[in-house]
Amino acid sequence: MNRREAIQKVSWILGGTIIGSSIFLEYGCNSSTQQASDFFDKSTTDLLNEIAETILPKTNTPGAKEAKVGEFMNVMVKDCYTKADQEIFKAGIQSLDKGCKDKTGKNFMDCSPEERTAYLSTLDTEQKAYTEKKSAEDPSHYFRMMKELTLLGFFTSEVGATKALKYVETPGSYNGNLPYKKGDRAWA
């Protein structure tokens, strides 16, 4: 093989690598909302956002809706839950909306913030009683799953970690005796 043939073969290899990587990036790493939201439809994701916002409402810090916790739940249920837990979660969404309609005469989305809070408080009491009585083999209560995902999604989001918690991007040395005043935010 002479020098000219070697350069041509290397350029083919490198060209294939560059073209292959650009195709991979273009089609494989697309972060469109269509890919992220194919487990629940938009109305269900909006409902999950409202449930999360009722659990963690906006006060002097952003609420769960600003952290897009509904979209987070969508991805987590789709990618991390077993099929059985996915079915429990889906059935729980329908049960939540139906139970709200039975209790208030309105769908959850049509209720006032006070009615939403009251209804979710009854669900929280129900799930606590269920969790205390359940055995290890029994599935989790759907509302407990929703609460856990709300907290996880909010406090691991940029909004939650930087606006609700204290955040230091690059911490200094370890100091285990920092002063803490009642009412201070926790550290992220």
Side-chain angles (χ1 to χ4, degrees), residues 97-134:
D97 211 26
K98 184 184 179 312
C100 186
K101 189 168 183 113
D102 292 345
K103 184 172 182 172
T104 64
K106 301 182 239 179
N107 291 327
F108 188 82
M109 296 291 277
D110 298 330
C111 289
S112 69
E114 295 79 20
E115 291 171 321
R116 289 177 181 183
T117 301
Y119 180 65
L120 291 187
S121 293
T122 60
L123 279 182
D124 194 38
T125 304
E126 175 187 312
Q127 74 82 15
K128 285 178 183 174
Y130 173 82
T131 302
E132 286 176 7
K133 294 176 187 173
K134 82 177 194 88

Side-chain angles (χ1 to χ4, degrees), residues 49-149:
N49 266 324
E50 292 301 326
I51 293 167
E53 185 70 17
T54 304
I55 294 169
L56 284 175
K58 179 177 182 174
T59 56
N60 59 345
T61 60
K65 196 188 307 186
E66 285 182 61
K68 298 183 179 172
V69 171
E71 288 84 352
F72 173 81
M73 285 189 209
N74 191 356
V75 171
M76 290 298 287
V77 170
K78 180 181 122 212
D79 292 345
C80 301
Y81 278 25
T82 63
K83 291 287 183 199
D85 284 342
Q86 287 174 352
E87 293 305 317
I88 291 168
F89 198 89
K90 282 182 176 180
I93 293 170
Q94 294 171 351
S95 175
L96 185 144
D97 211 26
K98 184 184 179 312
C100 186
K101 189 168 183 113
D102 292 345
K103 184 172 182 172
T104 64
K106 301 182 239 179
N107 291 327
F108 188 82
M109 296 291 277
D110 298 330
C111 289
S112 69
E114 295 79 20
E115 291 171 321
R116 289 177 181 183
T117 301
Y119 180 65
L120 291 187
S121 293
T122 60
L123 279 182
D124 194 38
T125 304
E126 175 187 312
Q127 74 82 15
K128 285 178 183 174
Y130 173 82
T131 302
E132 286 176 7
K133 294 176 187 173
K134 82 177 194 88
S135 67
E137 298 83 34
D138 291 337
S140 292
H141 192 279
Y142 71 90
F143 188 67
R144 183 173 183 96
M145 291 181 200
M146 289 179 186
K147 276 184 63 175
E148 288 173 349
L149 286 176

